[in-house]
Amino acid sequence: MQKGIVLLLLHVFCDTVLAGQCEKVWVTVSSLWRPIAACDKVVDAELEINWEFDCPADTKYSDTQIKVFTADPLAAHNKMIKPELILTSLQRPRGYYRTNITVGRPPLPGGWDTKDGAALPGPHCLDYYAILYKDGHIFSMACLQIWPTWMYDMRREIGMLPIGSLMIPGTHNSGCYKHGDLTRRDAFQRYLLTQDRDVWTQLVHGIRYLDIRVGYYPSIPNGTALDEEGNHVSRFWVNHDVIRITPLSEILKDVRNFLDAARGEVVIMDFHRFPVGFEGRPNRHRKLIAILHREFEKLILKPDRGVEGLGPTLNDIWTGGKRLIICYGDKHVVNDYDWLWPPLTQVWGNQQTVEGLFEYLDEEILRSKRRKNSQNPLWAVMAELTPFPLDIFFNLSGGLRQMADSVNRNLTVKFQEEWWKETNIVATDFFLGNDLIWVSRMSNIKKSNIAQWRL
Ligand SMILES: *[C@@H]1O[C@H](CO)[C@@H](O)[C@H](O)[C@H]1NC(C)=O
Ligand SMILES: *[C@@H]1O[C@H](CO)[C@@H](O)[C@H](O)[C@H]1NC(C)=O
Ligand SMILES: *[C@@H]1O[C@H](CO)[C@@H](O)[C@H](O)[C@H]1NC(C)=O
Ligand SMILES: *[C@@H]1O[C@H](CO)[C@@H](O)[C@H](O)[C@H]1NC(C)=O
């Protein structure tokens, strides 16, 4: 009981005080994979431990270490638990360690593993913990966390912020994932998959922006199911460019279930491009839009530029009760429907190197103020590398997993230290490899402090 309270206090402590504190430990999940010898399987989703010491040199403590646990070390029944791993001689001012502890795809805690709506609000830890000790005292603690209801949990702090000024974590090509364990064959599909969690899991972790590209396939054998209005739902797929990856219906179902289970959360679906089957076919757009309308009717928030062109505040949205924003990347189609939001600007650099991407983002994020006269109050930073077509052919960049690994850690640092102020949406590949959900929540608290100060 008491341990429970201590843990709760620690969480509160970690989330509020540590935002301004100079030491931080956090856990991420690697996007990399390794083959297992003599077997078709691969190991992926391994735990990474990250730390940062930003304090003035502190000689008071002689011994600093991080202990890694695969169960809650502060729970009463785990008193005797031994760490899986102890990290010493920690690199300064920051560093990381990729463990060989496989996270895989564990069940989600707090009742969030099933989509039946019987889930507990607030943050929940998965069974991966890292604790920073100095001379045996706990200084910082983190777990691999889901934050399924973060917007409404933070309503007192962030309710008065317009949606266009919030920092909102998102995913790039959100529907490009595969269910179940990877095999070597999948691992070779290195340029197709951008995520390793399905959309439900993304939303439960705290992602609120989904980047979706849709393809239409008239003659897929399974495409015979009709909905009540005679639309072929199963002819619509989520694509990575010209390759279809996941049936669109799967993603719509996940979003619908999530909105029903988390009744204060706002989700943005960005139907950004239509790479296959839509060119010169307005009727197919109409079919897709009919499906969206039927699926989400009562939840769709109409476009609203709000005061200062930053969109409605979260409080406005909660008052109206409509929590789904659908942006549509075709400006002619948008004109025919008063509930579709205009095409959303994605700041996408087509960059192949870490240095190139960061230089590009440095410039673009600072330019964001000039974007205020856009029709859509929302805009997104696409914070991932893009391979050259020839690199894919010759396999020079080693795949999207490697590319995500080479930027994800730096993204955490840059957004936490500089870019948070100007950023609205930030979309990444293999989002568990960065800490941008945490950074977004902390940034929104800082943004609300600045906003209150101005009043
Ligand atoms: C994991 O790494 C530790 C050292 O950190 C090593 O002792 C252990 O054998 C490794 N386990 C596997 C399964 O590779
Ligand atoms: C089509 O349906 C068959 C049988 O129901 C199933 O085994 C197969 O995986 C489906 N294919 C696709 C692409 O969904
Ligand atoms: C990325 O992070 C590493 C390690 O902190 C650093 O050495 C490197 O300069 C960073 N790269 C960029 C482009 O910020
Ligand atoms: C692609 O590159 C990666 C790493 O650079 C290498 O491990 C892999 O074997 C290559 N794949 C192919 C099909 O050449």
Side-chain angles (χ1 to χ4, degrees):
M1 182 67 191
Q2 265 176 351
K3 295 272 170 155
I5 293 169
V6 170
L7 181 59
L8 186 72
L9 285 177
L10 259 170
H11 279 303
V12 174
F13 175 76
C14 290
D15 276 334
T16 52
V17 184
L18 283 183
Q21 180 164 324
C22 52
E23 271 139 5
K24 183 185 164 197
V25 54
W26 69 100
V27 297
T28 48
V29 179
S30 174
S31 60
L32 299 174
W33 62 273
R34 328 180 249 120
I36 304 176
C39 164
D40 182 47
K41 290 270 168 56
V42 302
V43 179
D44 74 333
E46 288 170 310
L47 190 72
E48 297 172 318
I49 311 299
N50 309 266
W51 60 90
E52 182 175 83
F53 301 103
D54 221 5
C55 307
D58 186 348
T59 48
K60 222 166 69 203
Y61 302 97
S62 52
D63 175 36
T64 304
Q65 52 179 225
I66 294 173
K67 292 185 185 169
V68 181
F69 300 88
T70 50
D72 182 354
L74 300 183
H77 57 275
N78 286 339
K79 242 183 206 148
M80 306 302 284
I81 194 173
K82 292 233 161 46
E84 292 289 315
L85 186 70
I86 299 177
L87 303 174
T88 54
S89 4
L90 303 166
Q91 189 190 332
R92 282 162 193 271
R94 63 175 65 88
Y96 79 100
Y97 182 85
R98 182 178 163 210
T99 73
N100 58 12
I101 300 168
T102 301
V103 174
R105 283 151 195 80
L108 299 169
W112 290 94
D113 207 43
T114 56
K115 307 175 182 183
D116 58 11
L120 297 170
H124 302 279
C125 288
L126 284 93
D127 279 336
Y128 301 92
Y129 294 78
I131 302 186
L132 172 71
Y133 291 89
K134 286 187 180 184
D135 290 350
H137 299 286
I138 297 181
F139 265 69
S140 174
M141 171 172 174
C143 62
L144 185 62
Q145 205 168 33
I146 58 169
W147 203 294
T149 54
W150 67 265
M151 286 180 158
Y152 200 64
D153 294 344
M154 293 168 62
R155 58 193 173 278
R156 278 187 202 85
E157 291 95 338
I158 67 176
M160 79 300 189
L161 291 178
I163 187 105
S165 77
L166 286 176
M167 180 166 169
I168 299 173
T171 46
H172 163 239
N173 269 330
S174 312
C176 297
Y177 57 83
K178 179 186 177 286
H179 280 297
D181 293 337
L182 288 178
T183 63
R184 282 194 196 201
R185 210 177 127 261
D186 301 312
F188 284 113
Q189 299 190 344
R190 354 176 138 247
Y191 294 99
L192 291 180
L193 303 183
T194 50
Q195 306 299 334
D196 62 359
R197 308 284 138 157
D198 61 19
V199 164
W200 166 265
T201 308
Q202 293 175 29
L203 293 167
V204 166
H205 270 278
I207 294 295
R208 294 291 175 266
Y209 166 82
L210 303 172
D211 166 50
I212 298 163
R213 292 111 203 274
V214 185
Y216 183 86
Y217 295 84
S219 57
I220 302 280
N222 293 7
T224 47
L226 297 179
D227 68 16
E228 305 99 79
E229 286 156 41
N231 292 310
H232 294 266
V233 184
S234 45
R235 290 184 175 176
F236 292 96
W237 287 71
V238 171
N239 275 39
H240 191 147
D241 295 329
V242 297
I243 314 249
R244 68 187 165 88
I245 312 275
T246 312
L248 179 65
S249 59
E250 198 172 305
I251 279 134
L252 300 184
K253 202 166 1 115
D254 279 355
V255 172
R256 179 63 212 243
N257 286 334
F258 180 75
L259 288 168
D260 288 344
R263 297 186 163 270
E265 299 309 287
V266 180
V267 173
I268 302 157
M269 288 179 94
D270 180 10
F271 289 86
H272 199 74
R273 288 206 308 118
F274 308 91
V276 171
F278 283 88
E279 186 73 31
R281 302 282 195 146
N283 199 37
R284 292 181 179 171
H285 280 292
R286 280 198 285 278
K287 280 185 184 163
L288 172 57
I289 289 166
I291 291 167
L292 296 177
H293 193 258
R294 179 175 45 83
E295 187 67 37
F296 296 113
E297 193 179 355
K298 295 199 173 64
L299 288 164
I300 298 173
L301 178 69
K302 288 189 178 169
D304 175 358
R305 299 201 62 230
V307 231
E308 295 181 68
L310 287 170
T313 66
L314 286 178
N315 285 336
D316 294 341
I317 295 176
W318 288 322
T319 304
K322 299 189 189 293
R323 298 175 282 117
L324 177 65
I325 292 175
I326 301 182
C327 303
Y328 206 82
D330 184 302
K331 55 180 188 296
H332 303 295
V333 174
V334 163
N335 287 336
D336 295 340
Y337 302 87
D338 68 348
W339 50 273
L340 289 178
W341 291 54
L344 178 146
T345 303
Q346 290 187 343
V347 170
W348 173 69
N350 191 13
Q351 296 292 325
Q352 288 74 41
T353 64
V354 184
E355 292 71 26
L357 178 70
F358 279 68
E359 229 167 82
Y360 170 82
L361 291 183
D362 247 338
E363 233 165 71
E364 285 300 315
I365 289 173
L366 290 179
R367 256 167 40 103
S368 65
K369 284 211 182 80
R370 278 181 256 154
R371 218 170 275 120
K372 287 274 169 63
N373 55 3
S374 149
Q375 284 301 306
N376 191 328
L378 304 168
W379 63 285
V381 174
M382 306 311 280
E384 60 276 325
L385 297 177
T386 309
F388 273 135
L390 276 183
D391 284 1
I392 297 180
F393 193 73
F394 292 114
N395 188 23
L396 291 181
S397 34
L400 296 176
R401 290 171 174 271
Q402 238 137 348
M403 295 173 96
D405 182 68
S406 68
V407 294
N408 265 338
R409 273 176 291 277
N410 288 61
L411 289 175
T412 303
V413 174
K414 274 295 225 183
F415 278 98
Q416 177 173 302
E417 293 186 347
E418 295 173 40
W419 293 341
W420 64 272
K421 288 192 202 86
E422 310 295 344
T423 299
N424 179 210
I425 294 161
V426 50
T428 58
D429 284 347
F430 298 98
F431 72 99
L432 288 179
N434 60 56
D435 202 25
L436 290 180
I437 294 171
W438 188 90
V439 170
S440 297
R441 292 189 356 254
M442 289 307 119
S443 302
N444 289 330
I445 290 179
K446 288 191 272 183
K447 286 179 189 217
S448 82
N449 289 340
I450 295 170
Q452 275 167 345
W453 213 66
R454 282 213 194 108
L455 288 176

